[in-house]
Amino acid sequence: MKKWVKIFLFISSYTPLFAILILKNIKCLNNKKVIILLILFSSFIILSNMILFYILNNHIIAPKQLKITKVISKNDETLNYIVSYIIPFIGFELSNIYDILSIMILFFIIGWIYINSNLIFMNPILNLLKYNIYEITDEYNNSYILISKKIISKSKTNSFILYEKIADNVILEANLNEK
């Protein structure tokens, strides 16, 4: 279903990397090619974050009910993101065409894996916005990635939540108290 949501979640997850790249390559801002790359990167990042904020704040129209039978927190997984995705890019130079091509290939491969799997929880922006990420199982043994403002403990199994599906196996919990 909504694969484009996963694409924008993936791109938005690179906001910290983009900020690091700008700071690290600020000396290259007199190079027109670097400025064009920064404009392109920033356009994608800003658009992705705007769509992410829209989805998180306005997407719940007709929530459905789901009974949770199993809960596994994925909040700690974001540290894996930082180590495996951001750290290797620190040596990247925007003025070096080989670095740019290398990172584009790596970015494509990581994106392909991210979008075609349940790695939605590998997004530090969701953590910064105080969303919690869970892997849950429903009463029919279906698994989902749940994005929620609430803290859901293992003691909440066999309880019900209201949600909206935002992508394949990715659901957003309705927080009706905030609306």
Side-chain angles (χ1 to χ4, degrees):
M1 195 175 141
K2 304 171 184 172
K3 193 169 268 202
W4 62 269
V5 172
K6 288 185 177 186
I7 292 169
F8 286 117
L9 281 167
F10 168 69
I11 294 170
S12 74
S13 73
Y14 275 86
T15 302
L17 171 65
F18 184 69
I20 291 168
L21 286 176
I22 288 175
L23 290 173
K24 190 171 175 314
N25 291 282
I26 205 140
K27 64 185 179 290
C28 300
L29 289 180
N30 58 353
N31 184 331
K32 288 181 184 178
K33 291 176 189 172
V34 171
I35 292 171
I36 290 170
L37 278 174
L38 287 176
I39 290 170
L40 288 173
F41 284 153
S42 63
S43 298
F44 284 120
I45 297 290
I46 291 168
L47 177 64
S48 296
N49 282 305
M50 287 171 56
I51 290 170
L52 174 64
F53 295 141
Y54 176 79
I55 289 167
L56 295 175
N57 293 315
N58 301 309
H59 192 75
I60 305 292
I61 298 168
K64 298 169 195 74
Q65 189 169 315
L66 179 77
K67 183 177 182 181
I68 299 173
T69 59
K70 184 178 176 185
V71 177
I72 301 170
S73 176
K74 294 293 187 176
N75 288 328
D76 297 337
E77 300 286 333
T78 305
L79 188 56
N80 292 338
Y81 165 86
I82 292 171
V83 171
S84 63
Y85 294 167
I86 291 182
I87 302 292
F89 296 126
I90 290 180
F92 173 73
E93 292 285 334
L94 285 175
S95 59
N96 183 333
I97 189 68
Y98 298 111
D99 279 353
I100 293 169
L101 291 174
S102 298
I103 202 167
M104 287 174 72
I105 292 168
L106 187 56
F107 190 73
F108 178 78
I109 292 169
I110 292 170
W112 185 265
I113 293 168
Y114 183 100
I115 292 162
N116 291 304
S117 66
N118 277 335
L119 293 178
I120 298 302
F121 55 85
M122 299 286 249
N123 189 328
I125 300 303
L126 292 173
N127 291 88
L128 287 172
L129 295 172
K130 299 189 185 215
Y131 280 89
N132 297 294
I133 311 299
Y134 302 98
E135 184 178 336
I136 63 167
T137 305
D138 69 7
E139 61 190 317
Y140 304 107
N141 212 26
N142 298 315
S143 292
Y144 301 94
I145 296 297
L146 170 66
I147 301 171
S148 175
K149 280 272 192 180
K150 299 174 186 169
I151 296 174
I152 301 173
S153 66
K154 289 183 181 182
S155 65
K156 294 284 186 184
T157 56
N158 295 319
S159 62
F160 291 89
I161 62 166
L162 294 175
Y163 75 95
E164 182 91 23
K165 188 174 185 177
I166 60 174
D168 290 334
N169 296 345
V170 180
I171 59 176
L172 175 63
E173 184 174 16
N175 195 352
L176 301 178
N177 297 335
E178 287 185 359
K179 296 219 176 216

